[in-house]
């Protein structure tokens, strides 16, 4: 099996949300894997083709696969000697993350379990002059690994596919440094909400302060959560959000994600719950 160096966003650091007097934690993600083989650009999969997450072999998207290619590009602005992992991530992930929203057909991609999975040449490939960047999208499992699935996710958010891939968490987005992402049809504590992705700037700009992030997120997240619930009066569900840390910011994660968080674990959905009891 051809293995290549891989990177995945996002790592978040712990931040305090002064606007809501709650704690925002971080999100665990897979780290880069060592590369033991290279692939030349002419043999790379093309946009719209499917493959597995650790193998650059084209698979039919109608068959079981883990990754779907969104774009193939070039890495620029890097030295001739092989860059370290952090430099490669900073070069590859921002354009891949931009492509993610475009490919899925909506700005709510960060509220879903669909994530960027990026590839680049290994050290030998770099010495050979390779500078390709392969951006793919995967659906992650609760243990943050790619899930096998069938069918394409292109334009899925344009065709009412949000609920299929919506992020729900087993833990507290507002308090826990790391939260476990689970399917929304299982018991959970919080749900990422549609229209709940708040742009905080560009990765090429300095990251805003914690206070500035909270100010930007507060109003939009409060409205998005209240609209999602169909109520502004609940005391057992409240708006929460998670902000990016400095490393995540440099890698293109420049959004806050809004959550409807309950005071106790529940099953079912909070969508349109209004003032009814939490689903059990």
């Amino acid at each position: 099996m051809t293995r290549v160096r891989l990177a995945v966003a996002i790592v978040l650091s712990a931040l305090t949300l002064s606007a809501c007097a709650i704690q925002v934690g971080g999100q665990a993600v897979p780290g880069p894997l060592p590369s033991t083989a290279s692939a030349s650009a002419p043999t790379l999969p093309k946009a719209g083709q499917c493959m597995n997450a650790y193998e650059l072999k084209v698979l039919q998207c109608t068959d079981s696969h883990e990754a779907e290619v969104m774009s193939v590009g070039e890495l620029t602005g890097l030295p001739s000697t092989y860059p370290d992992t952090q430099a490669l991530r900073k070069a590859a992930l921002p354009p891949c993350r931009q492509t993610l929203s475009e490919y899925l057909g909506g700005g709510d991609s960060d509220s879903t379990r669909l994530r960027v999975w990026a590839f680049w040449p290994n050290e030998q490939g770099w010495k050979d002059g390779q500078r390709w960047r392969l951006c793919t999208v995967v659906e992650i499992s609760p243990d943050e690994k790619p899930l096998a699935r069938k069918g394409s996710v292109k334009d899925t958010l344009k065709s009412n596919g949000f609920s299929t891939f919506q992020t729900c968490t087993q833990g507290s987005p507002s308090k826990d440094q790391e939260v476990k992402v689970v399917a929304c049809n299982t018991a959970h504590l919080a749900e990422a909400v549609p229209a709940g992705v708040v742009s905080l700037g560009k990765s090429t700009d300095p990251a805003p302060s914690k206070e500035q992030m909270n100010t930007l997120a507060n109003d939009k997240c409060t409205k998005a959560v209240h609209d999602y619930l169909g109520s502004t009066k609940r005391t057992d569900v409240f708006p929460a959000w998670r902000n990016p840390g400095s490393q995540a910011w440099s890698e293109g994660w420049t959004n806050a994600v809004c959550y409807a968080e309950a005071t106790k674990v529940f099953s079912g959905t909070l969508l349109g719950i209004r003032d009814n009891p939490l689903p059990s």
Side-chain angles (χ1 to χ4, degrees):
M1 179 173 68
T2 301
R3 297 178 67 87
V4 294
R5 186 172 295 272
L6 167 153
V8 190
I10 296 72
V11 176
L12 306 182
S13 23
L15 301 172
T16 299
L17 286 183
S18 57
C20 295
I22 56 179
Q23 188 76 17
V24 174
Q27 184 172 348
V29 295
L33 298 180
S35 177
T36 59
S38 183
S40 58
T43 67
L44 291 172
K46 298 178 182 179
Q49 293 184 322
C50 294
M51 49 186 270
N52 282 328
Y54 304 101
E55 189 176 18
L56 299 179
K57 177 183 177 181
V58 174
L59 301 173
Q60 294 294 322
C61 293
T62 51
D63 295 335
S64 179
H65 63 275
E66 296 167 339
E68 183 171 342
V69 181
M70 300 184 294
S71 68
V72 181
E74 294 289 322
L75 294 170
T76 59
L78 292 172
S80 57
T81 55
Y82 196 62
D84 60 26
T85 298
Q86 185 176 12
L88 286 163
R89 290 173 68 96
K90 287 182 179 180
L93 294 181
C96 285
R97 279 187 39 78
Q98 181 178 349
T99 301
L100 180 66
S101 292
E102 297 168 355
Y103 194 81
L104 298 181
D108 288 331
S109 57
D110 286 342
S111 295
T112 72
R113 300 189 307 277
L114 297 171
R115 305 286 177 82
V116 163
W117 199 262
F119 298 79
W120 49 72
N122 65 4
E123 188 166 3
Q124 182 58 53
W126 199 268
K127 290 179 180 178
D128 294 341
Q130 297 177 26
R131 297 295 185 270
W132 52 267
R133 178 196 74 238
L134 187 69
C135 300
T136 77
V137 53
V138 300
E139 178 184 359
I140 62 161
S141 67
D143 59 359
E144 297 285 345
K145 294 180 179 179
L147 281 171
R149 61 180 314 278
K150 294 182 179 180
S152 173
V153 295
K154 183 172 175 58
D155 291 331
T156 190
L157 297 183
K158 192 181 292 183
S159 56
N160 300 317
F162 177 81
S163 60
T164 302
F165 301 103
Q166 181 180 13
T167 295
C168 289
T169 68
Q170 197 174 71
S172 167
S174 66
K175 298 176 184 177
D176 297 343
Q177 183 172 350
E178 296 181 1
V179 290
K180 186 175 182 179
V181 173
V182 295
C184 295
N185 60 359
T186 62
H188 55 280
L189 192 67
E191 301 175 359
V193 299
V197 176
V198 185
S199 175
L200 303 172
K202 298 179 180 178
S203 60
T204 52
D205 297 330
S209 67
K210 298 175 186 178
E211 292 75 16
Q212 289 171 324
M213 288 185 185
N214 294 335
T215 298
L216 289 168
N218 184 26
D219 289 345
K220 182 166 183 178
C221 286
T222 299
K223 182 180 187 306
V225 169
H226 288 167
D227 289 347
Y228 184 73
L229 301 174
S231 173
T232 62
K233 302 175 182 178
R234 301 192 70 100
T235 58
D236 57 350
V237 182
F238 58 91
W241 57 89
R242 291 170 79 80
N243 291 331
S246 57
Q247 179 183 343
W249 184 273
S250 69
E251 294 176 358
W253 183 276
T254 57
N255 297 326
V257 178
C258 309
Y259 289 84
E261 181 173 340
T263 54
K264 65 178 183 179
V265 173
F266 62 94
S267 298
T269 180
L270 297 176
L271 176 62
I273 191 174
R274 299 185 182 277
D275 299 319
N276 296 310
L278 286 174
S280 58

